[in-house]
């Protein structure tokens, strides 16, 4: 009965201790995982909750979250670029469809022009992907970066910036190729080609504006997604820390209770101390065993979940590729670019919704799997601890002269101590959760402020460039209104692309800077833990020196970060200047091309005017001869000739020279018909 009574109190202890670890990571009270948005590359399965299972300190968690932030941002850029290439081809197809309907182009030429652009953009993607993989492999194999992950991250960022800039230049080259194809392959006149390209540029600018909005929206969702993963990881880390603290508190509470029993009884004190030391060794070994077992189980679970995520993402990516082909097939015969862009907007929203659900489900599943694992591990540990406690109680009663009331009192005092401990820890847990959520809310707020600042800077830059191009337009008095409109359109298109590129680069570089800072802090935290091992932290001199070293390290780290921020601003300023220079060069090329085209057309008009004057003289002589020879019998013949001339005029009107003559002779159909008749007899018949 005495043992049963003692064990009953012991069970009360376990119940009290277990309440502090009852938080469910996947419950809506502790975390709400909202639906993220955007595409994820199929090869990148190292996102989500799974990678966070391998880290436990706040510094390591922050470093992992910032790694995912950088990777998710790169994935978003690649996804938007891929969609832009796809829709750009379809925009060109819509414009070519209009030419086909107007009989200005044949099917063969239209297909050739569109496929040239499509294949070229696909080749660019493959080429840059191969270059990226080769360069990354080279960086990872470089011994200089093996022991310096921060330096490796810097090289990776340089690579990403170079490849991004290279892609933009190569896409611009393809737009120039489309211009040449319209002239050579389609046989369009220069005026017709400029009209088509103006339409292409206008719709491409609208597409870039649409993608800019998507980038902002999905970037915000990425931040929310990362915040929620951070909350899951921090709560899991806190739970493990509290379990370790529970063991220490349990040992300390037992020691206090035993010391109270052995007051003024040296013999009993020695016996109790020997029993306690044996109990302490047993409990600590059990805790060490279960911590090692939990780490092993977490690693195995992480590998399983990572493979599951990879398989599901690969399947979804294959399905998305099929949907892209279906989208292109649906829009191949569209005649209006606005309808195309609306279809793309709907298509993107539908794909995002599907990906949202997938990512939400995967994050929730991973959080629940982690929670289940920790609950099972805790249950196993509690069973072993209960057996150790029961063995301790039995030894206590068998090897000492303590009465059952004394043992029961000992255990009751222990229960009281553990209840106080649990109450304190529960209060700390709630306060920690509040502070953590406030930190995450501030993190989201800071991101929005920084993004807003970037947008305002981009707006100022756009206004400056708008004033510059206005001044340039004032000097181009020789260009007609249509040419000036083309210049403004090209300017707005180029500025939109420039703003998109700068926004992405600034955003990515800022994230990388945070990543480097968190990596350094994680490394410093690991060094502190290593130094603490084997040191007596109760030594006041050591503790004071250690705290001074920590403060100095943090100060140096902050100083390095501030210098890095200054350097980042300089790099962004230099990059902005380079992109603006490229924009100015592009605008100079546009203006020069239009000026050359205008001069070429003016020279052609002068040649045509001279030819028409000669034709008028010859026609006057021919008309007089026709009137003198006309008889009543020739009326029927004239009717046949008129029908023939209608056909000739129709054919002739499709030539550049014919269009010019139609414009000149708009007020004299008789003159036009006779000119065509003359040319037909002299050159064509």
């Amino acid at each position: 009965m005495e043992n049963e009574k003692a064990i009953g109190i012991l069970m009360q202890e376990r119940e009290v201790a277990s309440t502090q670890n009852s938080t469910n990571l996947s419950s809506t009270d502790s975390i709400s995982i909202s639906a993220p948005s955007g595409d994820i590359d199929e090869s990148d399965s190292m996102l989500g909750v799974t990678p966070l299972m391998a880290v436990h300190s706040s510094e390591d968690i922050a470093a992992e979250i910032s790694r995912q932030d950088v990777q998710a941002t790169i994935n978003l850029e690649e996804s938007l670029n891929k969609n832009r290439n796809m829709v750009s081809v379809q925009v060109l197809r819509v414009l070519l469809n209009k030419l086909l309907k107007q009989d200005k182009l044949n099917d063969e030429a239209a297909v050739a022009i569109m496929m040239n652009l499509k294949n070229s953009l696909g080749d660019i993607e493959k080429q840059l992907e191969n270059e990226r993989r080769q360069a990354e492999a080279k960086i990872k194999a470089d011994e200089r970066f093996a022991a310096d992950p921060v330096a490796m991250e810097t090289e990776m960022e340089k690579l990403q910036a170079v490849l991004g800039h290279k892609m933009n230049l190569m896409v611009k080259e393809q737009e120039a190729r489309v211009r040449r194809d319209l002239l050579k392959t389609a046989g369009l006149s220069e005026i017709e080609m400029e009209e088509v390209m103006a339409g292409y540029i206008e719709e491409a600018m609208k597409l870039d504006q649409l993608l800019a909005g998507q980038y902002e929206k999905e970037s915000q969702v990425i931040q929310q997604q990362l915040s929620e993963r951070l909350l899951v990881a921090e709560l899991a880390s806190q739970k493990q820390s509290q379990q370790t603290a529970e063991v220490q508190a349990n040992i300390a509470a037992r020691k206090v209770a035993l010391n109270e029993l052995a007051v003024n009884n040296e013999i009993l004190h020695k016996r109790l101390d020997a029993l306690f030391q044996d109990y302490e060794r047993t409990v600590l070994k059990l805790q060490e065993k279960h911590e090692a077992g939990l780490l092993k189980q977490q690693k195995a679970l992480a590998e399983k979940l990572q493979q599951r995520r990879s398989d599901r993402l690969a399947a979804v990516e294959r399905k998305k590729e099929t949907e892209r082909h279906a989208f292109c097939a649906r829009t191949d015969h569209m005649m209006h670019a606005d309808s195309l862009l609306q279809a793309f907007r709907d298509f993107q929203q539908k794909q995002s919704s599907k990906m949202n659900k997938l990512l939400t489900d995967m994050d929730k599943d991973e959080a629940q799997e982690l929670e289940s694992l920790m609950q099972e591990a805790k249950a196993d540990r509690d069973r072993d601890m209960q057996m150790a406690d029961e063995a301790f109680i039995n030894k206590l009663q068998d090897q000492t002269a303590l009465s059952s009331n004394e043992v029961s009192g000992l255990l009751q005092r222990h229960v009281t101590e553990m209840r106080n401990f649990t109450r304190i820890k529960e209060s700390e847990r709630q306060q920690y959760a509040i502070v953590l959520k406030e930190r995450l809310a501030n993190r989201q707020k800071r991101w929005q402020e920084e993004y807003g600042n970037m947008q305002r800077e981009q707006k100022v830059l756009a206004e400056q460039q708008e004033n510059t191009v206005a001044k340039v337009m004032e000097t181009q008095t020789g260009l007609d209104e249509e040419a000036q409109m083309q210049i403004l359109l090209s300017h707005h298109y180029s500025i939109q692309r420039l703003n998109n590129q700068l926004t992405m680069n600034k955003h990515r570089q800022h994230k990388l800077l945070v990543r480097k800072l968190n990596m350094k802090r994680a490394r410093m935290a690991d060094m502190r833990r290593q130094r603490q091992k084997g040191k007596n932290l109760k030594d006041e001199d050591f503790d004071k020196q250690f705290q001074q070293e920590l403060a100095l390290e943090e100060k140096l780290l902050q100083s390095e970060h501030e210098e890095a921020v200054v350097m980042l601003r300089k790099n962004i300023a230099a990059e902005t200047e380079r992109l603006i220079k490229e924009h100015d060069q592009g605008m100079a090329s546009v203006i020069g091309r239009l000026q050359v085209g205008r001069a070429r057309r003016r020279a052609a008009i002068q040649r045509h005017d001279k030819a028409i004057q000669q034709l008028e003289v010859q026609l006057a002589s021919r008309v007089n001869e026709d009137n003198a020879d006309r008889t009543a019998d020739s009326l029927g013949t004239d009717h046949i000739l008129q029908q023939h001339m209608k056909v000739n005029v129709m054919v002739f009107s499709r030539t550049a020279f014919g269009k010019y003559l139609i414009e000149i002779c708009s007020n004299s159909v008789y003159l036009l018909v006779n000119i065509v008749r003359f040319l037909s007899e002299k050159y064509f018949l």
Side-chain angles (χ1 to χ4, degrees):
M1 290 294 295
E2 293 178 355
N3 283 349
E4 290 178 0
K5 183 178 180 181
I7 292 173
I9 297 175
L10 183 64
M11 294 300 294
Q12 283 184 294
E13 298 179 29
R14 287 298 164 204
E15 184 178 354
V16 169
S18 65
T19 56
Q20 74 182 69
N21 294 310
S22 61
T23 304
N24 190 332
L25 299 184
S26 58
S27 69
T28 55
D29 293 335
S30 59
I31 177 170
S32 173
I33 299 181
S34 65
S37 176
D39 294 335
I40 292 186
D41 187 87
E42 64 175 343
S43 64
D44 185 23
S45 59
M46 290 301 294
L47 298 179
V49 177
T50 300
L52 292 163
M53 294 181 184
V55 295
H56 303 290
S57 70
S58 293
E59 294 85 359
D60 289 336
I61 291 172
E64 171 58 25
I65 287 293
S66 59
R67 183 198 68 79
Q68 293 195 25
D69 195 3
V70 172
Q71 186 60 55
T73 300
I74 293 174
N75 288 347
L76 176 58
E77 290 180 23
E78 293 176 350
S79 173
L80 294 179
N81 285 332
K82 189 171 187 177
N83 283 339
R84 187 188 190 281
N85 290 343
M86 177 187 72
V87 181
S88 295
V89 173
Q90 295 307 107
V91 166
L92 179 61
R93 182 59 187 261
V94 168
L95 298 175
L96 295 179
N97 286 343
K98 291 181 180 180
L99 295 178
L100 286 169
K101 186 176 181 180
Q102 297 168 1
D103 291 331
K104 295 181 179 180
L105 188 67
N106 58 50
D107 289 336
E108 183 180 351
V111 171
I113 294 172
M114 192 189 73
M115 292 306 296
N116 281 344
L117 178 61
K118 182 177 180 180
N119 293 336
S120 296
L121 292 177
D123 291 341
I124 289 173
E125 288 183 9
K126 293 178 182 177
Q127 176 186 337
L128 294 180
E129 177 63 18
N130 289 335
E131 290 182 11
R132 182 183 67 82
R133 291 182 184 278
Q134 293 175 6
E136 285 183 351
K138 186 177 180 180
I139 291 172
K140 291 176 181 179
D142 194 327
E143 295 181 356
R144 294 176 300 170
F145 306 128
D148 192 351
V150 175
M152 180 180 291
E153 289 287 337
T154 301
E155 288 300 310
M156 291 293 190
E157 164 57 20
K158 290 179 181 178
L159 173 63
Q160 186 70 22
V162 169
L163 293 180
H165 183 241
K166 188 174 182 179
M167 169 171 271
N168 285 328
L169 293 180
M170 295 175 79
V171 169
K172 287 182 181 179
E173 291 176 1
Q174 293 311 311
E175 292 174 357
R177 181 178 178 179
V178 170
R179 190 182 297 276
R180 294 192 298 270
D181 285 348
L182 290 172
L183 288 173
K184 295 181 180 180
T185 305
L188 299 183
S189 68
E190 187 173 347
I191 294 177
E192 290 171 330
M193 178 272 293
E194 291 292 354
E195 289 177 355
V196 174
M197 289 307 299
Y200 178 84
I201 289 174
E202 182 176 4
E203 300 308 324
M205 180 179 67
K206 292 178 183 178
L207 174 61
D208 284 335
Q209 291 170 345
L210 190 155
L211 294 176
Q214 288 183 354
Y215 180 81
E216 179 179 2
K217 177 182 176 181
E218 296 188 13
S219 295
Q220 290 177 344
V221 177
I222 287 174
Q223 295 309 304
Q224 180 64 28
Q225 175 187 357
L226 293 172
S227 295
E228 291 166 351
R229 291 174 185 169
L230 178 61
L231 185 58
V232 169
E234 287 284 4
L235 290 176
S237 175
Q238 186 198 37
K239 179 179 247 187
Q240 287 186 257
S241 298
Q242 286 188 355
Q243 288 179 0
T244 301
E246 176 194 339
V247 172
Q248 297 294 336
N250 178 51
I251 293 172
R254 289 208 181 282
K255 187 172 184 178
V256 170
L258 290 174
N259 288 339
E260 290 179 1
L261 286 175
V263 174
N264 300 323
N265 190 334
E266 187 65 26
I267 296 176
L268 179 60
H269 182 273
K270 289 182 179 181
R271 288 181 181 177
L272 292 178
D273 188 56
L275 290 173
F276 172 76
Q277 290 181 9
D278 182 59
Y279 169 77
E280 182 179 25
R281 285 192 296 270
T282 300
V283 169
L284 292 178
K285 284 182 179 180
L286 284 175
Q287 177 66 12
E288 184 179 352
K289 171 189 170 183
H290 281 281
E291 285 180 350
L294 179 60
L295 289 176
K296 185 177 180 180
Q297 289 176 310
Q298 285 178 330
K299 182 179 179 180
L301 177 61
E303 292 176 354
K304 183 185 78 171
L305 294 179
Q306 182 180 328
Q307 185 60 48
R308 181 195 300 175
R309 176 179 280 256
S310 179
D311 292 342
R312 295 177 72 178
L313 286 175
V316 169
E317 186 62 29
R318 288 192 295 270
K319 186 176 181 180
K320 285 169 61 179
E321 193 63 30
T322 301
E323 291 173 348
R324 289 190 188 99
H325 288 300
F327 169 80
C328 293
R330 286 197 312 271
T331 58
D332 271 348
H333 302 290
M334 283 187 172
M335 303 294 294
H336 302 287
D338 288 342
S339 299
L340 169 65
L341 293 182
Q342 182 59 48
F344 170 66
R345 187 181 290 106
D346 296 340
F347 167 79
Q348 178 65 22
Q349 289 176 353
K350 185 177 180 180
Q351 280 208 335
S352 295
S353 178
K354 291 180 181 179
M355 182 59 76
N356 290 349
K357 187 176 185 308
L358 175 65
L359 295 179
T360 300
D361 290 345
M362 287 193 296
D363 276 356
K364 283 186 176 180
D365 288 347
E366 290 170 7
Q368 289 171 355
E369 293 261 16
L370 175 61
E371 170 64 15
S372 297
L373 173 63
M374 294 184 67
Q375 291 287 3
E376 291 174 4
K378 182 181 181 303
D380 290 342
R381 190 204 67 163
D382 287 348
R383 281 194 296 270
D384 288 347
M385 291 294 183
Q386 180 178 339
M387 292 175 63
D389 287 343
E390 291 175 358
F392 174 69
I393 292 171
N394 290 332
K395 288 181 180 180
L396 195 64
Q397 292 181 329
D398 293 342
Q399 299 181 22
T400 65
L402 295 176
S403 66
S404 61
N405 289 334
E406 288 176 321
V407 172
S408 297
L410 170 68
L411 295 177
Q412 192 61 55
R413 285 193 295 274
H414 183 261
V415 168
T416 302
E417 289 290 333
M418 292 306 296
R419 279 178 176 167
N420 292 335
F421 173 82
T422 300
R423 186 171 56 253
I424 293 171
K425 288 300 177 181
E426 178 62 20
S427 175
E428 290 178 357
R429 187 195 70 81
Q430 293 177 357
Q431 185 63 32
Y432 179 76
I434 293 173
V435 172
L436 183 58
K437 289 178 180 179
E438 288 177 353
R439 278 172 45 198
L440 297 179
N442 291 333
R443 182 176 184 268
Q444 188 79 357
K445 184 178 179 180
R446 284 197 306 272
W447 181 89
Q448 292 174 346
E449 290 175 351
E450 290 166 357
Y451 195 91
N453 291 336
M454 284 193 293
Q455 293 298 95
R456 284 188 287 273
E457 291 174 1
Q458 302 299 86
K459 185 177 180 180
V460 171
L461 177 62
E463 291 174 352
Q464 292 174 347
Q465 291 302 306
E466 194 72 23
N467 294 333
T468 300
V469 78
K471 293 179 182 179
V472 172
M473 294 296 294
E474 293 175 359
T475 65
Q476 304 300 315
T477 55
L479 293 177
D480 57 23
E481 183 177 353
E482 183 177 352
Q484 292 181 359
M485 291 300 295
Q486 289 185 19
I487 292 174
L488 288 175
L489 182 61
S490 297
H491 164 73
H492 293 148
Y493 171 57
S494 179
I495 285 295
Q496 183 64 51
R497 294 221 66 186
L498 182 149
N499 282 340
N500 285 5
Q501 185 176 354
L502 278 177
T503 297
M504 291 182 182
N505 288 350
K506 287 180 181 180
H507 204 189
R508 183 180 355 98
Q509 290 176 25
H510 174 74
K511 289 173 183 287
L512 182 66
L513 188 62
V514 174
R515 161 85 169 135
K516 292 177 182 177
L517 177 64
N518 288 334
M519 289 174 67
K520 290 178 179 179
R521 281 180 172 161
R523 189 165 58 180
M524 285 175 55
D526 183 61
M527 292 173 61
R528 292 178 201 139
R529 288 191 291 270
Q530 295 297 328
R531 273 188 286 176
Q532 285 176 328
K533 288 182 179 179
K535 297 290 185 178
N536 183 9
L537 295 183
K538 295 181 180 179
D539 186 335
E540 293 183 1
D541 292 336
F542 170 78
D543 187 54
K544 183 177 180 180
Q545 180 183 357
F546 187 68
Q547 294 300 326
Q548 290 175 347
E549 290 177 359
L550 293 183
L552 179 60
E553 288 176 354
E554 183 63 31
K555 186 176 180 180
L556 291 174
L557 181 60
Q558 191 62 34
S559 177
E560 289 179 4
H561 179 66
E562 291 173 357
E563 291 177 2
V565 170
V566 173
M567 184 58 65
L568 174 61
R569 290 173 180 167
K570 290 181 179 179
N571 292 339
I572 290 175
E575 182 179 13
T576 303
E577 184 178 355
R578 174 175 59 80
L579 291 177
I580 290 176
K581 185 178 180 180
E582 290 178 2
H583 164 74
D584 293 342
Q585 292 172 346
M587 292 307 302
S589 176
V590 170
I591 294 173
R593 188 183 69 248
L594 292 174
Q595 288 282 19
V596 170
R598 176 177 176 274
R600 187 164 52 244
R601 288 192 295 273
R602 182 182 297 171
I605 290 173
Q606 292 175 350
R607 290 196 303 271
H608 293 163
D609 287 344
K610 185 176 181 180
I612 289 175
Q613 290 174 3
Q614 294 174 352
L615 286 173
E616 287 177 343
V617 173
Q618 297 178 36
L619 278 172
S621 175
R622 177 65 178 272
V623 169
N624 290 334
E625 292 176 2
D626 286 348
N627 289 335
D629 295 339
R630 180 180 296 275
T631 64
D633 295 335
S634 66
L635 292 176
T637 304
D638 284 348
H639 177 73
I640 295 173
L641 289 174
Q642 288 173 7
Q643 296 301 318
H644 176 66
M645 289 310 302
K646 287 181 180 179
V647 176
N648 283 342
V649 169
M650 186 181 301
V651 174
F652 191 65
S653 65
R654 295 177 184 174
T655 67
F657 185 45
K659 291 178 182 179
Y660 176 72
L661 288 177
I662 290 173
E663 182 180 352
I664 296 299
C665 302
S666 59
N667 296 324
S668 177
V669 176
Y670 176 75
L671 176 60
L672 174 63
V673 170
N674 280 282
I675 290 175
V676 175
R677 176 188 296 173
F678 175 79
L679 293 175
S680 299
E681 292 177 355
K682 189 173 181 63
Y683 299 105
F684 305 129
L685 298 181

